[in-house]
Amino acid sequence: MKTKQRNVLLIAYDEHLVLSFLYCVRKQKGFNYFLLTHKPKSSAGHSRYIKGLRYYKEYSELETVIPECLREWDIDALMPIGEKESLEVSKHRSTFELLCKVMPLTDPKHFKIATDKEALNRFLLERDLALMSATLDLDDPNFEDKLEGFPFPGLVKPAQGAFGSGISTVKNKEELQSFLKREKPDAGQYYLQEYIGGSDINCIVVCQDGEVLHWSVQESPAKEIGNYNKNDDLIFKSAPEVLERVVPMLKALNYQGVACIDLRRDLEKNKVFLLEINARFWGSMMASFTRANVNFPLIMLKLTLGETVPEYRKKEGRQISMGTFKHQFLRLKFPDLGALKFWPYLNDPMARIMKYWYQKF
């Protein structure tokens, strides 16, 4: 007897996240995938795996648009991919659960804390969890007094942001004061954080009631101050000390579902500091699958449907950026061509071509 095709609704703005998710679940038979997005000309609509596409304009519309899509496409599982979309689904979870299965998500109160770096730091300090480097709120009533003892260099960072956007580096007190006078950032939306030199770490987790069920760690080479861009040079390895660092935080938040936790390793002190929690899927999820053999999208799909997660064995691996490849090639080191991140793109060529086309034109 033929098994009924099950329909999954993905909600996301970032098409790279959508296409990466689809790549990881592409071999699971018996599923159709539909997309709800508010990105005009989303290249994900050209994916070979997307069966239906609908646009909306504002996040506030999701409360009414999602049920319409669930009924129209007879959806079995609702899976928000992005952070803001996840928060909206979490807010209205009880309504959506009347119509289909909903991906595990942290409750709205703790979700907002987790995704606001300033609020998260206060939350952690109140529980004696000093995971971040020294911070100072720009709107602190005693800002000037506390600034005297602040350990520069520092970073002026938005409380909410993604992919390193909106971060400014200040080397000393005078440079900070000049920056504040010139840029006039909203004191309630920005804060000052001590800069820690070292390597970037992503700790990927899947949680249930604050307990970590699945996890993986990837780490970049050491980065220089001012470099807050995404990492394409990555080492996938076992690093239990990283997981131990974030476990108390996840428990305190009663975290549910997937998260990509950004940290920085101080190479001199060999100490790991928390940067932020990305309460969503992340850009290198394909690499987590192809290099570390942990298929987080499939894990979340199975957990959403209440099914058993397939067994897997984690492994160590490496990914290099195109810049590193060129540098090594020109130095006659003959780098591993297979270590580049782009090979999975060939599995969904039209969507990837259109993503490039829309970006350029």
Side-chain angles (χ1 to χ4, degrees):
M1 183 175 70
K2 185 177 180 180
T3 305
K4 174 184 176 294
Q5 291 285 111
R6 287 181 288 179
N7 299 327
V8 180
L9 176 60
L10 309 178
I11 313 177
Y13 178 86
D14 190 316
E15 63 260 71
H16 175 68
L17 298 185
V18 175
L19 297 175
S20 298
F21 182 100
L22 293 170
Y23 175 83
C24 293
V25 298
R26 72 194 189 284
K27 292 186 178 180
Q28 289 298 302
K29 296 181 179 179
F31 288 94
N32 295 317
Y33 298 96
F34 299 81
L35 176 63
L36 179 59
T37 182
H38 74 295
K39 183 169 188 176
K41 298 182 179 180
S42 174
S43 65
H46 296 274
S47 172
R48 59 192 291 197
Y49 303 110
I50 291 294
K51 302 298 182 182
L53 175 68
R54 179 167 173 176
Y55 295 96
Y56 68 96
K57 293 182 179 180
E58 304 291 341
Y59 288 113
S60 58
E61 297 178 33
L62 287 176
E63 183 179 3
T64 55
V65 173
I66 289 176
E68 293 173 3
C69 293
L70 298 180
R71 294 187 180 97
E72 177 184 352
W73 290 322
D74 190 24
I75 296 298
D76 297 284
L78 173 59
M79 302 191 68
I81 303 299
E83 199 164 81
K84 292 182 178 179
E85 296 87 348
S86 295
L87 176 57
E88 290 302 315
V89 172
S90 180
K91 288 179 181 177
H92 308 290
R93 184 184 191 94
S94 59
T95 299
F96 304 148
E97 283 183 326
L98 297 175
L99 301 173
C100 70
K101 300 283 188 180
V102 180
M103 189 176 83
L105 294 165
T106 304
D107 68 89
K109 176 184 175 181
H110 288 99
F111 193 102
K112 291 178 181 178
I113 293 172
T115 54
D116 184 311
K117 295 183 280 291
E118 192 175 2
L120 176 60
N121 190 44
R122 288 197 300 269
F123 175 87
L124 295 174
L125 291 177
E126 288 170 359
R127 289 155 180 79
D128 295 323
L129 297 173
L131 303 185
M132 293 186 177
S133 58
T135 60
L136 180 56
D137 297 344
L138 297 190
D139 59 357
D140 190 311
N142 301 312
F143 178 77
E144 291 297 334
D145 292 337
K146 293 181 179 179
L147 190 59
E148 292 299 325
F150 189 83
F152 284 95
L155 309 172
V156 181
K157 305 174 69 174
Q160 294 181 303
F163 302 111
S165 61
I167 299 176
S168 299
T169 305
V170 288
K171 297 179 181 179
N172 49 47
K173 177 182 175 181
E174 291 71 28
E175 193 169 311
L176 170 65
Q177 291 173 328
S178 176
F179 171 83
L180 296 178
K181 183 178 180 179
R182 181 179 68 254
E183 300 296 334
K184 296 181 174 59
D186 185 341
Q189 299 298 320
Y190 283 78
Y191 68 104
L192 178 66
Q193 183 172 27
E194 174 191 6
Y195 171 78
I196 300 295
S199 58
D200 282 343
I201 301 173
N202 303 125
C203 181
I204 318 300
V205 297
V206 171
C207 297
Q208 183 178 59
D209 300 329
E211 301 293 338
V212 178
L213 303 181
H214 306 272
W215 65 283
S216 179
V217 170
Q218 57 199 47
E219 186 164 355
S220 76
K223 303 183 74 172
E224 297 180 355
I225 189 167
N227 180 4
Y228 314 119
N229 297 323
K230 64 181 180 178
N231 299 305
D232 282 341
D233 290 297
L234 293 169
I235 300 294
F236 298 81
K237 60 184 181 180
S238 176
E241 77 282 0
V242 174
L243 182 66
E244 291 172 6
R245 185 75 168 148
V246 302
V247 161
M249 172 183 68
L250 297 168
K251 188 65 176 178
L253 289 166
N254 193 35
Y255 199 88
Q256 314 284 343
V258 69
C260 175
I261 305 169
D262 291 345
L263 307 106
R264 176 63 67 92
R265 188 192 298 276
D266 186 326
L267 297 177
E268 292 184 1
K269 300 178 181 178
N270 195 29
K271 185 176 180 180
V272 175
F273 292 90
L274 172 69
L275 297 178
E276 65 179 332
I277 298 177
N278 301 291
R280 55 168 171 78
F281 290 92
W282 64 106
S284 58
M285 71 179 92
M286 287 190 299
S288 294
F289 178 33
T290 59
R291 312 294 178 181
N293 198 41
V294 187
N295 192 336
F296 286 99
L298 178 59
I299 288 171
M300 290 307 303
L301 178 60
K302 292 295 185 179
L303 289 177
T304 300
L305 293 168
E307 299 178 358
T308 301
V309 173
E311 293 185 3
Y312 62 91
R313 184 185 296 274
K314 282 191 285 189
K315 63 181 183 181
E316 297 188 351
R318 182 170 180 250
Q319 175 182 280
I320 61 173
S321 66
M322 181 60 75
T324 296
F325 181 88
K326 291 179 180 178
H327 179 74
Q328 292 183 355
F329 184 80
L330 292 174
R331 295 171 67 91
L332 301 179
K333 291 187 176 181
F334 304 108
D336 178 12
L337 189 63
L340 290 169
K341 74 172 186 177
F342 303 106
W343 297 114
Y345 291 13
L346 300 177
N347 183 261
D348 208 349
M350 183 54 67
R352 293 294 179 175
I353 291 171
M354 293 307 297
K355 184 176 186 297
Y356 175 82
W357 179 267
Y358 289 147
Q359 287 175 337
K360 293 296 182 181
F361 306 102

